[in-house]
Amino acid sequence: LLPKERQTMLFSATQTKAVEDLARLSIQNTAVYVEVENETKLATAEGLEQGYVSCPSDKRFLLLYTFLRKNKNKKIMVFFSSCNSVKFHSDLLCYIDLPVLEIHGKLKQQKRTTTFFQFCKQEKGVLCCTDVAARGLDIPS
């Protein structure tokens, strides 16, 4: 089905065990890995605080709301697992008078770009986004 002479290329932003296994199964000869050297060993940018909380699902929204209210003078990004979840939580937070911005894949590119720059310019605020945004947004300090 596939030609005998072919070149297989696999691109990934992260090198996980699953990606490694896929490469081993897909590439017949020795694979060549190309990576960008990272000068810092830190996964978190300087000055950025990251955190998470495990709690029962029936308490999640109350915890999120309380956290956002107590930290209303900070710039906060909240990551959700789907576009629908971002939309639902953004609408709900705005409805209960906690204004937030949202970025997800169901918005047009122009709207995502405008929202992103709006969030960057703000001194404080909340951006609800899909977890995919965690890898690709560069928010200046």
Side-chain angles (χ1 to χ4, degrees):
L1 193 59
L2 292 174
K4 292 191 188 299
E5 293 288 323
R6 66 186 171 103
Q7 181 179 23
T8 303
M9 299 174 129
L10 176 64
F11 298 91
S12 177
T14 55
Q15 184 66 33
T16 64
K17 176 85 170 97
V19 171
E20 222 173 275
D21 291 344
L22 180 62
R24 191 172 25 76
L25 291 171
S26 303
I27 301 174
Q28 295 169 354
N29 298 328
T30 305
V32 175
Y33 291 93
V34 178
E35 64 182 333
V36 176
E37 282 296 320
N38 191 353
E39 293 178 12
T40 178
K41 298 295 179 201
L42 299 174
T44 304
E46 191 174 326
L48 179 69
E49 293 178 43
Q50 290 190 83
Y52 72 94
V53 176
S54 293
C55 68
S57 59
D58 63 329
K59 304 283 189 227
R60 282 187 195 150
F61 185 76
L62 180 59
L63 181 66
L64 174 63
Y65 178 77
T66 304
F67 175 80
L68 294 176
R69 275 284 183 215
K70 286 186 177 183
N71 292 281
K72 63 183 174 189
N73 291 323
K74 294 184 178 182
K75 190 179 271 193
I76 298 171
M77 293 176 73
V78 182
F79 298 102
F80 296 93
S81 60
S82 71
C83 298
N84 288 338
S85 188
V86 170
K87 182 73 178 139
F88 173 81
H89 287 90
S90 296
D91 289 349
L92 185 55
L93 288 167
C94 287
Y95 182 77
I96 58 176
D97 203 29
L98 204 157
V100 300
L101 299 172
E102 65 182 89
I103 291 182
H104 55 78
K106 291 185 179 177
L107 295 173
K108 294 188 184 245
Q109 182 61 44
Q110 180 62 40
K111 175 66 175 159
R112 290 193 303 250
T113 303
T114 303
T115 302
F116 171 71
F117 285 117
Q118 181 182 352
F119 181 71
C120 288
K121 290 177 186 174
Q122 291 179 338
E123 293 277 327
K124 57 188 177 183
V126 178
L127 177 66
C128 296
C129 51
T130 53
D131 52 2
V132 173
R135 289 184 260 167
L137 296 180
D138 185 18
I139 311 285
S141 38

